[in-house]
Amino acid sequence: MQTTEAKILYNDPAAPGVYRMGLSWKTPRIEPGQFVMLRVSNGYDPLLRRPLAVYRVLGASSPTVFRGSGIEVLYNVVGRGTAMLSCKRAGTEISVLGPLGNGFPVHGSGDAVLVAGGMGIASFHMLARKLGRGTLLYGARTRVHARLAREFRGLGLKTKLATDDGSAGIKGPVTVLLAQELERRREPPVIYACGPAPMLRAAAELSAEYGAECLVSLERAMACGMGACLGCAIKTGTEVKETYRLVCRDGPVFDASAIDWERISP
Ligand SMILES: Cc1cc2nc3c(=O)[nH]c(=O)nc-3n(C[C@H](O)[C@H](O)[C@H](O)COP(=O)(O)OP(=O)(O)OC[C@H]3O[C@@H](n4cnc5c(N)ncnc54)[C@H](O)[C@@H]3O)c2cc1C
Ligand code: FES
């Protein structure tokens, strides 16, 4: 992990309310699912960096070992920090802390199902590239937002869509697609899920019902991003043996069966 002043290569609209930012940075090796913390202001307001998943590594020489000349992040404008980020110009510099977190484990030769809700898709491009096969289930607001799934073409995954308004794929939550996917398979696939907490909880419950391993990438408000402030602690373990884990350092990827979902998404 390091702090770098990275040059902004581009910062362009990618979908309504969504931007993609390219940063010039001679990266160390980055694992799928890891994230960076960006300082959105040169002053003290806002003080805290904002966490964003690494969407792509630019100029990576290998399709599965992610080390290159820059990174791309994909972000939704939801508040002040991301609004300030969206105003940054190409050619200016921004402080990047990272790579942070554990990332997604890729093990076994079994089939995988990636379940993305909204901007959760930002954590999956590198994972899809590394897996090279499986199924991507993407839940988006509208067909315009769902276009981001096109960027997964050519990576070897089948893609199925769900939208809130039914303008692309099925109308309804992406977990309906997950239920269909689990129902039709003889062997349970490994489930990777990233998105809003209620979606993650539903994916975890479905996976448990079908005996599938489920790995979820959690989002928590973060101050330091590296285990110092304890602000991102979550409860894991059992009622008999409770433990606390830090989303920034021990996660953001956790085995869904270890999470106390009542506290994450009541
Ligand atoms: C490990 C990790 C990786 C992340 N990766 C990405 C990513 O790749 N792309 C991305 O767009 N976001 C990602 N996020 C979420 C992102 O960090 C927040 O959206 C961002 O910090 C909000 O900052 P803000 O100053 O714009 O909003 P704030 O001023 O902090 O919040 C404004 C409002 O938005 C709400 N809000 C905050 N976060 C979210 C959210 N995630 N979704 C919806 N509403 C929210 C707040 O509750 C508040 O009401 C990630 C978060 C974590 C922890
Ligand atoms: S954000 Fe500080 S410990 Fe996780």
Side-chain angles (χ1 to χ4, degrees):
M1 180 233 305
Q2 53 186 244
T3 311
T4 314
E5 289 300 317
K7 186 188 267 191
I8 298 175
L9 299 170
Y10 50 87
N11 189 23
D12 301 326
V18 178
Y19 287 75
R20 80 173 70 240
M21 178 182 274
L23 298 167
S24 172
W25 171 28
K26 192 169 182 312
T27 66
R29 181 171 169 166
I30 301 178
E31 298 301 329
Q34 284 194 296
F35 65 100
V36 291
M37 300 272 286
L38 298 185
R39 185 180 284 288
V40 297
S41 157
N42 294 331
Y44 291 109
D45 185 28
L47 181 64
L48 302 178
R49 293 168 180 269
R50 296 300 193 259
L52 294 177
V54 178
Y55 182 57
R56 275 200 279 234
V57 170
L58 306 174
S61 53
S62 153
T64 50
V65 179
F66 301 103
R67 189 187 286 122
S69 57
I71 59 165
E72 187 175 281
V73 292
L74 206 54
Y75 62 95
N76 209 355
V77 175
V78 296
R80 192 145 167 267
T82 43
M84 287 172 78
L85 207 54
S86 71
C87 297
K88 301 254 177 219
R89 297 253 174 95
T92 57
E93 291 200 329
I94 188 165
S95 173
V96 184
L97 172 68
L100 300 164
N102 56 358
F104 292 107
V106 175
H107 45 243
S109 54
D111 211 2
V113 175
L114 280 55
V115 189
M119 283 316 298
I121 199 161
S123 294
F124 279 160
H125 200 275
M126 288 163 63
L127 177 65
R129 206 166 154 191
K130 190 158 183 171
L131 290 167
R133 67 195 190 111
T135 306
L136 170 68
L137 310 178
Y138 183 32
R141 268 181 277 164
T142 66
R143 64 195 290 266
V144 181
H145 294 89
R147 280 189 202 141
L148 286 172
R150 290 184 190 167
E151 298 179 14
F152 286 69
R153 279 185 191 158
L155 299 182
L157 284 79
K158 279 173 269 169
T159 300
K160 297 182 184 175
L161 301 175
T163 47
D164 294 348
D165 63 358
S167 54
I170 64 153
K171 182 174 193 285
V174 67
T175 42
V176 171
L177 292 177
L178 176 61
Q180 291 170 356
E181 208 62 35
L182 287 164
E183 185 60 38
R184 71 177 188 81
R185 289 171 192 243
R186 278 202 213 121
E187 289 291 316
V190 178
I191 310 297
Y192 295 91
C194 190
M199 184 212 95
L200 296 182
R201 181 175 182 167
E205 287 172 356
L206 276 168
S207 302
E209 197 182 319
Y210 285 86
E213 180 182 3
C214 180
L215 298 154
V216 292
S217 182
L218 295 183
E219 282 191 12
R220 265 341 217 193
M222 289 183 181
C224 72
M226 49 191 184
C229 71
L230 308 186
C232 65
I234 55 158
K235 200 176 122 206
T236 57
T238 61
E239 272 180 26
V240 181
K241 194 175 176 218
E242 285 185 0
T243 49
Y244 284 86
R245 312 280 294 280
L246 298 176
V247 173
C248 67
R249 191 193 60 197
D250 305 319
V253 179
F254 293 92
D255 190 317
S257 63
I259 305 289
D260 179 348
W261 288 104
E262 269 311 309
R263 301 251 185 128
I264 300 282
S265 177

